[in-house]
Amino acid sequence: MRKIQMVDLKGQYDQIKETVNASIQEVLDNTAYINGPQVHKFQKDLEQYLGVKHVIPCANGTDALQIAMMGLGLQPGDEVITADFTFAATVEVIALLQLTPVLVDVDADTFNISVDAIKKAITPKTKAIVPVHLFGQVANMEEILAVAKEHNLYVIEDNAQAIGADYTFANGTKKKAGVMGHVASTSFFPSKNLGAYGDGGAIFTNDDDLAHALRGIVNHGMYVRYHHDVVGVNSRLDSLQAAVLNAKLPLLDTYNAARLATANKYSAALANHAKVVTPVVTGTTDSHVFHQYTLRILDADRDALMQHLLDKGIPCAIYYPIPLHSQKAYADARYNEEDFPITNQLVKEVISLPMHTELDDEQIDFITGSILEFLNK
Ligand SMILES: *Cc1c(COP(=O)(O)O)cnc(C)c1O
């Protein structure tokens, strides 16, 4: 059996080596390392793939979130509601901009932000909601958009983990993750579903005025060369990363299908065990692109299971081990433990299995067999 990796970047590269190398070679030959034609091509192709009017490439997914919030003109003291159970980048940029993060609980079945919790957290100071499409599953956008509309709030989708996922509204309309809110961010960190070979990110919006504002903000607040109208940042997707992404974007649907197939095999082997909750897909199967495959372990020692898997050479990880409201940087007297029952429970139960595009049946069987062996002991 091949060695099992949490993310197999080498195995994937070996399959696409020629296209990637040729694409990188073009940049080396034209030396347009910054804002080269590869960046422009990637922007256009991604706009078309997503069905969105504007993609603004930038340096990483954290910058993308920050720039989206700057573009919306959020002001210090504005409250921004986001999920307690997510990667810290989301709350970090809210705090950096001196906005007030309002962390709320998630739903146990999807791990995504709870609409009831959002409703309870809204105050006259609330300006935006940031749903994170966690682990690759689109949050409950139908209801989130309705709540936002009712209270006149911006919706900023953190789409770092769900690029390529589709969301089907009750009326049958289908939209890609990241094109439903006012603005969205994504990350091309190497292990993401569409990963570069370094850092990268992008912002999406259908709003022409916001897109114009964002294009200036990523470029030092310049709309006309050497005229700085607003305080901006320097955040660019470099041409070498765009070259890698140009080679991989045409494969994104194939890659996401491979992740779904692996997820289905994991779930088929584990679904009927009383001590395991396999991932719940709430929408159509294309609403989840399995950035992570995350189990909940009930009535068993999750940490001992993790050690058992590591001892057998099976990498696995806890995403995320500590609720954001309990992190030193984001703790706040405003928070009550009773408001986070689900996140507090999930951090003790979750375990994420290897998930990438190169897992074979022998590896999958070994992983699920090793989990059952531990649970049936
Ligand atoms: C990866 C990630 C980010 C940040 O992306 P970077 O490119 O690493 O800055 C933000 N939010 C979520 C949910 C992520 O998973």
Side-chain angles (χ1 to χ4, degrees):
M1 187 176 62
R2 292 184 301 127
K3 185 171 167 354
I4 299 173
Q5 315 270 354
M6 194 69 187
V7 176
D8 188 1
L9 294 176
K10 179 67 164 73
Q12 191 188 64
Y13 171 65
D14 286 343
Q15 309 287 321
I16 55 174
K17 199 168 188 162
E18 263 115 73
T19 354
V20 171
N21 288 7
S23 194
I24 290 175
Q25 189 63 50
E26 265 180 48
V27 182
L28 299 179
D29 288 334
N30 71 19
T31 70
Y33 296 121
I34 302 292
N35 288 333
Q38 284 75 16
V39 179
H40 190 70
K41 175 178 164 48
F42 177 65
Q43 176 203 320
K44 290 290 160 206
D45 290 352
L46 188 58
E47 284 167 356
Q48 196 180 7
Y49 172 84
L50 294 168
V52 72
K53 274 172 94 174
H54 306 282
V55 165
I56 296 99
C58 66
N60 58 67
T62 310
D63 274 10
L65 269 170
Q66 177 181 332
I67 293 158
M69 290 177 199
M70 290 169 77
L72 290 172
L74 299 182
Q75 295 297 317
D78 287 351
E79 293 180 2
V80 180
I81 298 173
T82 195
D84 190 34
F85 189 61
T86 178
F87 181 57
T90 326
V91 66
E92 177 178 74
V93 300
I94 298 171
L96 269 177
L97 293 173
Q98 294 183 290
L99 313 173
T100 305
V102 178
L103 296 168
V104 302
D105 211 3
V106 297
D107 288 329
D109 53 352
T110 61
F111 307 120
N112 274 327
I113 194 163
S114 153
V115 178
D116 286 338
I118 292 175
K119 287 181 185 163
K120 279 192 212 131
I122 293 173
T123 76
K125 287 187 177 168
T126 308
K127 287 284 150 47
I129 305 168
V130 187
V132 181
H133 303 317
L134 202 74
F135 302 152
Q137 175 149 242
V138 184
N140 185 348
M141 290 305 287
E142 182 108 33
E143 290 187 29
I144 291 169
L145 291 172
V147 174
K149 196 168 174 197
E150 187 188 332
H151 295 272
N152 202 16
L153 309 175
Y154 292 120
V155 175
I156 305 164
E157 293 172 74
D158 181 343
N159 194 32
Q161 301 192 0
I163 195 157
D166 283 292
Y167 185 80
T168 311
F169 287 87
N171 69 6
T173 318
K174 243 182 212 275
K175 286 202 174 158
K176 287 274 179 216
V179 311
M180 293 172 273
H182 296 88
V183 62
S185 59
T186 200
S187 165
F188 306 119
F189 186 82
S191 64
K192 302 280 156 109
N193 290 37
L194 179 59
Y197 291 171
D199 277 308
I203 311 155
F204 322 144
T205 185
N206 278 312
D207 180 327
D208 297 341
D209 294 336
L210 178 59
H212 176 74
L214 295 169
R215 290 207 174 90
I217 292 169
V218 297
N219 189 26
H220 302 290
M222 270 197 294
Y223 297 90
V224 176
R225 201 163 171 78
Y226 298 125
H227 292 249
H228 303 273
D229 293 358
V230 295
V231 179
V233 296
N234 170 24
S235 188
R236 294 184 281 242
L237 177 70
D238 77 65
S239 304
L240 284 167
Q241 297 310 330
V244 172
L245 292 166
N246 281 330
K248 289 179 73 174
L249 179 58
L251 296 165
L252 178 58
D253 286 344
T254 311
Y255 285 160
N256 282 342
R259 287 172 178 271
L260 177 63
T262 296
N264 286 338
K265 288 175 194 167
Y266 277 148
S267 290
L270 300 170
N272 295 318
H273 201 287
K275 292 182 178 173
V276 177
V277 181
T278 53
V280 176
V281 180
T282 51
T284 44
T285 50
D286 53 11
S287 67
H288 201 325
V289 291
F290 286 96
H291 176 59
Q292 299 296 344
Y293 182 91
T294 303
L295 296 171
R296 293 171 58 197
I297 303 299
L298 314 176
D299 304 319
D301 186 339
R302 186 266 321 258
D303 295 336
L305 167 62
M306 183 165 175
Q307 194 53 53
H308 172 79
L309 296 178
L310 294 175
D311 289 346
K312 302 194 89 169
I314 301 170
C316 49
I318 311 303
Y319 303 121
Y320 296 94
I322 305 170
L324 287 180
H325 80 270
S326 307
Q327 298 282 0
K328 217 167 158 186
Y330 305 111
D332 194 303
R334 290 175 295 126
Y335 297 132
N336 297 311
E337 285 309 315
E338 310 83 80
D339 292 332
F340 306 99
I342 306 297
T343 303
N344 285 339
Q345 185 186 333
L346 289 176
V347 294
K348 293 181 219 144
E349 293 175 349
V350 290
I351 181 167
S352 297
L353 303 185
M355 177 47 83
H356 53 79
T357 57
E358 313 302 315
L359 284 159
D360 63 35
D361 286 353
E362 188 186 9
Q363 293 175 314
I364 294 168
D365 290 346
F366 182 68
I367 294 165
T368 55
S370 301
I371 293 170
L372 294 173
E373 173 190 63
F374 176 87
L375 294 175
N376 294 334
K377 235 181 352 204

